[in-house]
């Protein structure tokens, strides 16, 4: 192989057909691009530890069609591949916001959005749609879960809507006994039939509770559930 100990300046370097072009150095290989004034405009350095590129814009294009697969400049980084796959065990970490029109999991895999130490927020000017076509949708939190609509409504549409672990309030025909405890006023006697039908009541502060169903409404704003909530 030819060796050059000083600068080599050529307008074109090519090799014979079906032969590779090899640039080899025991330190690194650097390719520079300069303008007509001799100023450095681009640089590619291949070293033992890293490959570095210094330029205004870096692009990786597909061999067929010239589609941009990856590009980077001072303002943004664009990944133009049809699918971005992150194989690391810790997933992808974003320091700030993530903007995307669609998030989905791999086939037969669950999609999980989680914030272990802070809150999770999804925003869109024209709505956010969460769809689980072949499975369950689960939202859990440690403290409070807020469903808020500033101008519209919250619409629950399902064959069965269940509200678990609702407290059972007491019912008394007189207002004086409405604040008595649930265990003392709602516990049936041994001969009384078992209560199986309840009325869903709402306290003035919005808390839901159950009240034994009667011929008329048994919901009371002075229920022990409302007074102690």
């Amino acid at each position: 192989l030819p060796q050059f100990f000083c600068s080599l300046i050529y307008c074109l370097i090519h090799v014979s057909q079906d032969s590779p072009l090899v640039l080899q150095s025991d330190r690194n290989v650097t390719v520079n691009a300069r303008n007509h004034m001799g100023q450095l405009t681009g640089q590619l350095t291949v070293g033992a530890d890293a490959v570095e590129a210094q330029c205004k814009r870096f692009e990786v294009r597909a061999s067929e069609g010239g589609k941009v697969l990856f590009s980077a400049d001072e303002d943004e980084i664009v990944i133009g591949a049809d699918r971005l796959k992150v194989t690391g065990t810790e997933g992808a970490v974003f320091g700030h916001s993530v903007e995307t029109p669609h998030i989905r999991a791999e086939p037969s895999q669950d999609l999980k959005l989680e914030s272990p130490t802070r809150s999770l927020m999804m925003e869109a000017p024209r709505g956010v749609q969460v769809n689980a076509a072949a499975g369950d949708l689960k939202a859990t939190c440690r403290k409070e879960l807020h469903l808020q609509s500033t101008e519209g409504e919250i619409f629950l549409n399902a064959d069965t809507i269940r509200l678990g672990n609702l407290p059972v309030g007491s019912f008394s025909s007189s207002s004086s006994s409405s604040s008595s405890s649930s265990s003392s006023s709602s516990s049936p006697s041994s001969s009384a039939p078992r209560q199986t039908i309840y009325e869903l009541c709402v306290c003035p502060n919005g808390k839901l509770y159950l009240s034994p169903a009667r011929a008329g409404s048994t919901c009371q704003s002075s229920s022990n559930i409302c007074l102690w909530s």
Side-chain angles (χ1 to χ4, degrees), residues 83 102-112 131:
R83 174 177 296 184
H102 192 192
I103 299 178
R104 67 178 180 181
E106 290 284 345
S108 302
Q109 297 293 328
D110 294 334
L111 175 63
K112 186 176 183 180
N131 182 23

Side-chain angles (χ1 to χ4, degrees), residues 13-15 19-23:
I13 299 177
H14 66 85
V15 295
S19 297
L21 175 63
V22 179
L23 302 177

Side-chain angles (χ1 to χ4, degrees), residues 68-132:
V68 177
L69 302 178
F70 178 88
S71 65
D73 56 27
E74 293 183 356
D75 298 327
E76 64 179 6
I77 295 177
V78 178
I79 299 176
D82 296 334
R83 174 177 296 184
L84 173 62
K85 190 171 185 179
V86 180
T87 59
T89 57
E90 298 296 329
V93 179
F94 301 93
H96 298 282
S97 61
V98 179
E99 182 177 348
T100 176
H102 192 192
I103 299 178
R104 67 178 180 181
E106 290 284 345
S108 302
Q109 297 293 328
D110 294 334
L111 175 63
K112 186 176 183 180
L113 302 178
E114 181 182 7
S115 178
T117 58
R118 300 294 296 274
S119 59
L120 177 62
M121 181 179 297
M122 295 185 293
E123 295 181 345
R126 300 187 62 181
V128 177
Q129 181 179 359
V130 182
N131 182 23

Side-chain angles (χ1 to χ4, degrees), residues 147-159:
L147 299 177
Q148 180 180 1
S149 177
T150 57
E151 297 182 359
E153 64 179 4
I154 298 177
F155 180 61
L156 301 178
N157 183 11
D159 294 337

Side-chain angles (χ1 to χ4, degrees), residues 11 40-41 59 80 92 99 120-121 125 136 156 182 187 217 227 229:
C11 296
L40 184 66
T41 57
E59 291 186 355
E99 182 177 348
L120 177 62
M121 181 179 297
D136 297 334
L156 301 178
S182 173
S187 58
S217 177
L227 294 178
S229 61

Side-chain angles (χ1 to χ4, degrees), residues 7 19 21 38 45 85 98 113 155 166 168 182 190 197 202-203 221:
S7 299
S19 297
L21 175 63
T45 301
K85 190 171 185 179
V98 179
L113 302 178
F155 180 61
L166 289 181
V168 179
S182 173
S190 58
I197 300 177
V202 183
C203 297
S221 60

